Amino acid sequence: MWQMLGLESKYAYATGRVRVLETRLLDRGRIDRMIDAPDVEGALKVLAEAGYAGAQLSEKARPTVDDIVSGEEERLARLVRETTPDPRLMEFITARWDFHNLKVMLKARLHRVPPEKAVARHGTVDLAVIERAIEGETRDLPPHLAKALGAARAAHDIRAVPETIDIAVDREMYRYLLAGAKSLGIQYLVDLVEMEVDLLNLSVFFRSRRMGRERDMAAEAMVPGGKISPLRLIACYEQPPEAVAAGLAGTGYEALARRAAAALAAGEPLAELERLSEAAMWEGIRKARYVPLGPEPLIGFMFAKLHELKLVRLVLVGKISGMSRESVRERLRDAHV
Amino acid sequence: MGVTVGMILGFLGIALAVALPGVGSAVGVGLVGSAGSGVVTEDPDKFGQILLLQVIPGTQGIYGLLTGFVLMMKLGVFSGNVLRLTTFEGLLVIMAVLPIAIVGWLSAIHQGKVAAAGVGVVAKRPEELGKPVTFAAMVETYAVLAFLASLLLIMFGLPLKGVA
């Protein structure tokens, strides 16, 4: 009988909470109101109405973007911690922050940039531990991060540009997340991580071609583990753009590849690729909305909220730096509604 | 007065009628309660609507208990003069309770799933409460049919005489 219920009963509480919280996610209308607000305070007011505790205006000082985003990240982490019966699910949020912090701090060390502003505050690994590991004392660093650090250093030794650190750490991160998703046995989560990998590889594929990079360089930037093997993508690398979609037949990304290839052939910007990638990702995330009970609603919400925070950061930074509404809108993608 | 195998089977029938739908209802009600607690944590105003959904999978347990009571009366449990059933009569009692025991058990769990999914509807559109209630009530049909079948079998289909 318990098998009959399985994960459904374990995640019933989480599903209930998420169903309410989904109604508080920023919809297109609210994002538009933020963009159209005459100033930053107006945008913060919209956020405060949507339940962003950190966006409340006080007389003392205006909250910073980092404070607002960090406060919401903390709330998301608390939600997952309180509702998931499997603590390993937490890793899907915190591991991203840990890997991000590793990247930021390593790049800062090797390229002498101050890292403080860009670090995620709620990773599970103390920043001092990462700092010491970068200096060579890796004893306290979890093995998955130590492996990423080693790979990033090795890649950077060969080609000393910050991009190599991003590529090496991302590769280790997705490898780690994929293994974690598989060990949790939640197919929806595996599908989402695989889709992230595929979309990243497709982006690398088209951007590398646009920049006229060598095939080997593009191959090095690709991450294994998605539904499309990097080898299959690389096999299409030197084909004419119109043949790329045919080369990806049966993967589910043909339409995306066709549009991106058309933009590539016409010498147009690849913004359409980004938009289609986001749309594909949301299509995957939205599947959770049709699952009545189980881990999927919680996982879908995690991905949706992290995406929302990216949008919020983008809009607020745009407002603060005085970007025009059109430019901010241009940089935004579809919100999870 | 010794205990017959038929009496043991008869009592087993009562136990099955009460226990299996009861367990199913407990699971179903628990499932809706868990999902409902999640909603109420974020939005306490929805308690009343969710309570309505939560009671729905509880009815199978009541049907099982009623079936058990009718059977107890039939076997003379309340009069203190328990009928000494033959083995075949005991088996007939078990057959008679099987519809509500099995259907009550499984339908309560499935109704719980439907009602718990309905909790999500209430979380987003509280004004649409009638729809998830209707979906959950559809599962009830089969529990009611099984209850009727067991009740009719016990009342009219068991020619219990016992042994002297």
Side-chain angles (χ1 to χ4, degrees), chain A residues 39-50:
Chain A
D39 48 26
V40 187
E41 280 72 17
L44 290 178
K45 210 168 153 192
V46 177
L47 282 180
E49 281 169 20

Side-chain angles (χ1 to χ4, degrees), chain A residues 52 65-81 90 93-94 96-97 100-101 118-123 305-306 309-310 313:
Chain A
Y52 275 62
V65 177
D66 283 333
D67 288 341
I68 294 168
V69 171
S70 172
E72 287 301 304
E73 284 175 349
E74 169 61 23
R75 277 173 73 177
L76 176 64
R78 202 182 321 130
L79 169 79
V80 179
R81 209 170 18 244
M90 270 302 289
I93 304 181
T94 55
R96 284 172 198 269
W97 293 333
H100 169 79
N101 287 345
V119 293
R121 298 183 192 173
H122 306 294
K305 188 70 191 183
L306 290 172
L309 292 176
K310 270 191 226 167
R313 187 181 282 280

Side-chain angles (χ1 to χ4, degrees), chain A residues 12-13, chain B residues 27-40 50 54 112 116 119:
Chain A
Y13 174 73
Chain B
V27 172
V29 169
L31 195 61
V32 187
S34 295
S37 298
V39 172
V40 172
I50 287 166
Q54 196 189 6
V119 166

Side-chain angles (χ1 to χ4, degrees), chain A residues 5 8 12-13 17 22 24, chain B residues 27 35 38 41-42 113 124:
Chain A
L5 286 167
E8 289 178 344
Y13 174 73
R17 275 186 78 173
E22 278 175 350
R24 297 177 192 161
Chain B
V27 172
T41 303
E42 299 293 339
K113 287 185 186 183
K124 291 188 175 178

